[in-house]
Amino acid sequence: PRIPLGVIASIRGDYAKTASLAQQVLLISHSNGEIWHEMDSYYLFTRAAVLQGDFETAQRYAQKTYQLAKQNQEHWFMAYCLNELGNIATALGDYAPARGHFQASYQIREEFDDPEGMAVALNHLGNVTLIELDSQGAGEYFQQSRKIYQKINDQGGLAASFNGLARVALAQGDLSEARQCFLAALQISNEIQ
């Protein structure tokens, strides 16, 4: 139960508890030789460091997590790690590697026929593309993710896509479109609380 408790602690913003639970999981996994729990512990360490803005530490943990997942051919988990590595690279201003991580995550999720995972990667790609001042390319990524989220009825993801589309419209100077997209994101967010 320490792993889901660590995830919940990170969502609640209790990063010290997240790190403490990750350390407990790591000690147990080492004593029992459980590689999967070791991956989980490093992932929790990654989340705690990212959420505290310690991106260099987060990058080390994310790389360790990714290497363990790759060695054990845990492709599904690799996609999560790639998203983390992409977010960290984005935060550090390393946009080309970030794009590569998000594209690799998308490809893995596509192989698994996982539309939700594909849409998450598309939103990340939209974000990094918008940071690179390619609003047209960013808009294409956000539109693709919006279509997927509508198809699978993922309201939280749909709100994120509309938020991205609103930021694209702002970058393009289309205030009317930006307003409509921000309102759509806000309405969905209010509905799902």
Side-chain angles (χ1 to χ4, degrees):
R2 288 176 179 90
I3 296 165
L5 289 172
V7 171
I8 291 168
S10 74
I11 292 168
R12 290 186 173 165
D14 190 346
Y15 312 127
K17 185 171 185 174
T18 303
S20 172
L21 288 164
Q23 185 63 42
Q24 292 173 36
V25 171
L26 183 61
L27 291 173
I28 293 168
S29 67
H30 280 169
S31 66
N32 296 334
E34 297 174 351
I35 192 71
W36 287 266
H37 290 178
E38 184 176 352
M39 286 187 300
D40 291 332
S41 69
Y42 285 120
Y43 187 79
L44 287 175
F45 280 128
T46 301
R47 292 300 308 144
V50 163
L51 294 169
Q52 294 177 85
D54 185 355
F55 298 111
E56 288 81 11
T57 300
Q59 190 172 43
R60 286 193 305 274
Y61 284 130
Q63 288 169 341
K64 176 72 172 171
T65 310
Y66 179 77
Q67 288 305 317
L68 288 170
K70 188 174 181 179
Q71 288 169 6
N72 290 281
Q73 298 182 9
E74 289 291 329
H75 296 282
W76 182 267
F77 199 72
M78 285 168 55
Y80 282 106
C81 298
L82 286 163
N83 283 338
E84 291 297 336
L85 286 165
N87 287 328
I88 293 164
T90 300
L92 293 172
D94 298 328
Y95 304 128
R99 178 186 302 282
H101 294 312
F102 296 138
Q103 288 171 337
S105 174
Y106 178 88
Q107 290 170 345
I108 291 171
R109 295 308 174 113
E110 187 176 41
E111 290 170 10
F112 277 97
D113 193 25
D114 171 20
E116 190 269 341
M118 292 162 56
V120 167
L122 288 167
N123 270 348
H124 288 311
L125 282 163
N127 286 326
V128 76
T129 303
L130 190 57
I131 290 169
E132 293 179 308
L133 305 177
D134 178 2
S135 61
Q136 182 177 345
E140 291 171 9
Y141 286 126
F142 288 125
Q143 283 291 0
Q144 289 177 49
S145 70
R146 181 191 58 79
K147 289 176 184 175
I148 292 171
Y149 282 130
Q150 283 178 321
K151 184 175 181 181
I152 64 173
N153 196 28
D154 181 328
Q155 296 300 297
L158 186 58
S161 295
F162 273 119
N163 184 301
L165 288 167
R167 291 183 294 117
V168 165
L170 276 178
Q172 295 174 342
D174 188 344
L175 300 182
S176 175
E177 179 68 15
R179 184 178 194 280
Q180 288 178 346
C181 290
F182 276 134
L183 285 173
L186 182 61
Q187 180 181 359
I188 292 167
S189 297
N190 282 335
E191 288 172 2
I192 64 173
Q193 298 182 357

